[in-house]
Amino acid sequence: MRLFLLLPFVGLGLIDYSALTAAQPRCDPLTQYEKDGECCKKCGPGTRLSSGGSCLDPLCTECPDGDYQDAYTSSNSCQRQPYCDPNLDFNRVVNKSKKNRVACICKVGFHCSSKACLTCVAHTSCKPGHGAQSTGNHTHNTVCQKCTEGTFSKGDSWKGVCEKWTICADGYFVEQSGTDVSDNICAESLSHTITIAVVCFVGLLVITIAFFCLRKCKQGDKKGEVKKILMGCFESSSGDKGEPVKETKVLITNPTDQAEEESLMSELLSKEEAGVRTPEENEDELSLASPDLVLSEKGNFVTQENGKSTILSRQESQTQTFTN
């Protein structure tokens, strides 16, 4: 009795199993297709099915130009490649694949207007004082941001970034500070200019003095005065403005006796008080003496030249030469 009750369930199980077995495909869905209970071969990518072949050995032909087939197919036609219109700011496609769909690419500076990319639109241009945070490409637009402190941007650009202010070099200072739309303006330091001018002036002065001394030395070689010229050049370069040393030769003849000396002294004093110049004959007589010869109170001869005086002893009986 119990066995009789289980028979209907066993029968249902057999029916379900046979149904599942019949529903399972026997062909490879990627490379085969079923026809009249047989698994026929498909044509590979880039080709299409042509008439004249058999199920197990089909005749496949290449897709025509402008078409493509990106998978195995049992169809006798290929898919049409999209047309990338340059008038819609797409790049012109030269080499078209027959195995893959060619994607239309927007020109540089443009991006797709939508996910389907039916048209292209220009990237956003960043205004002065703003730079590109992210540069636009084929699928995305440019994102702009305001320049931060220490950076600037002058013009409109969809790919330009904010640049850093210029750092002035040594010897220069910031004459005008930069802004978000302008760079630092550097100017040359005044002290730097003065230093260059002083160095140039000193160099020119040294060259001039050296040229002058060399020329004088060449002239002095003929006269045996090289030493004097070199001394003069040294004094000129050191800034000594004093008068050069003069060589004064004084020829003095002592009186023969005390009476003649006193007579000459009294005569000179009397003429000096009277404001009368010494006669020419007396000048001839004292021509060997230095100019402005005067006797001191002690009886010594005194010579005066350019505000300087030299006392000569009466004991000197020979001609002497003095250099002041």
Side-chain angles (χ1 to χ4, degrees):
M1 182 68 180
R2 293 179 181 178
L3 182 61
F4 178 76
L5 295 174
L6 294 174
L7 287 177
F9 296 99
V10 173
L12 290 175
L14 293 175
I15 294 172
D16 293 339
Y17 177 78
S18 61
L20 291 174
T21 304
Q24 289 179 355
R26 295 179 302 163
C27 303
D28 182 8
L30 180 63
T31 61
Q32 295 177 334
Y33 68 97
E34 185 179 356
K35 182 180 180 182
D36 299 333
E38 292 183 324
C39 292
C40 301
K41 290 183 179 181
K42 293 180 179 180
C43 292
T47 63
R48 60 189 176 90
L49 186 63
S50 180
S51 60
S54 63
C55 174
L56 299 178
D57 188 17
L59 180 61
C60 300
T61 58
E62 187 179 34
C63 294
D65 293 339
D67 292 355
Y68 76 99
Q69 186 59 258
D70 58 356
Y72 286 89
T73 182
S74 60
S75 175
N76 56 3
S77 64
C78 297
Q79 302 181 63
R80 190 68 180 173
Q81 289 278 14
Y83 174 63
C84 303
D85 191 355
N87 296 323
L88 298 178
D89 298 313
F90 286 109
N91 286 325
R92 187 182 298 276
V93 178
V94 178
N95 296 322
K96 295 183 179 180
S97 173
K98 294 184 178 183
K99 293 183 179 182
N100 297 297
R101 183 180 187 274
V102 175
C104 293
I105 304 298
C106 296
K107 295 178 180 178
V108 177
F110 295 82
H111 63 278
C112 294
S113 60
S114 63
K115 188 176 181 179
C117 201
L118 299 178
T119 58
C120 298
V121 293
H123 295 325
T124 300
S125 181
C126 300
K127 303 299 181 182
H130 296 75
Q133 181 179 4
S134 62
T135 305
N137 54 26
H138 166 66
T139 58
H140 296 86
N141 191 14
T142 295
V143 178
C144 300
Q145 67 174 356
K146 185 175 179 58
C147 294
T148 58
E149 182 69 19
T151 62
F152 74 100
S153 177
K154 291 183 178 180
D156 297 347
S157 175
W158 61 268
K159 62 180 180 180
V161 297
C162 296
E163 302 177 19
K164 292 183 178 181
W165 291 343
T166 299
I167 299 176
C168 298
D170 293 340
Y172 292 81
F173 69 97
V174 179
E175 184 178 28
Q176 182 175 344
S177 298
T179 63
D180 60 343
V181 295
S182 63
D183 192 7
N184 282 336
I185 298 178
C186 300
E188 190 173 6
S189 176
L190 182 61
S191 60
H192 183 66
T193 305
I194 294 175
T195 301
I196 295 177
V198 170
V199 171
C200 293
F201 175 76
V202 172
L204 182 61
L205 181 63
V206 170
I207 293 174
T208 303
I209 294 175
F211 175 78
F212 173 78
C213 292
L214 182 62
R215 185 175 179 182
K216 288 295 183 181
C217 287
K218 289 181 178 180
Q219 296 177 356
D221 287 341
K222 300 178 181 179
K223 301 179 181 180
E225 299 178 352
V226 177
K227 184 176 180 180
K228 294 181 180 179
I229 294 172
L230 292 176
M231 291 294 294
C233 291
F234 176 75
E235 293 177 357
S236 299
S237 61
S238 62
D240 186 5
K241 298 183 179 180
E243 295 182 356
V245 178
K246 295 183 179 180
E247 183 176 326
T248 305
K249 295 182 179 181
V250 180
L251 184 62
I252 301 174
T253 304
N254 292 332
T256 57
D257 53 32
Q258 184 69 23
E260 185 177 357
E261 178 180 349
E262 293 177 355
S263 175
L264 180 59
M265 179 180 65
S266 60
E267 183 179 356
L268 289 175
L269 291 174
S270 62
K271 288 184 179 182
E272 184 178 1
E273 293 175 358
V276 181
R277 294 183 58 184
T278 304
E280 293 182 358
E281 56 271 14
N282 292 336
E283 291 180 0
D284 294 336
E285 188 174 305
L286 298 174
S287 60
L288 297 178
S290 62
D292 298 333
L293 182 64
V294 180
L295 280 174
S296 65
E297 295 178 356
K298 295 181 180 182
N300 296 325
F301 285 94
V302 179
T303 60
Q304 294 184 349
E305 180 180 359
N306 294 332
K308 301 178 181 179
S309 62
T310 304
I311 301 176
L312 306 179
S313 174
R314 288 189 299 174
Q315 299 298 326
E316 296 173 353
S317 59
Q318 296 180 355
T319 304
Q320 297 181 3
T321 302
F322 292 86
T323 301
N324 294 335

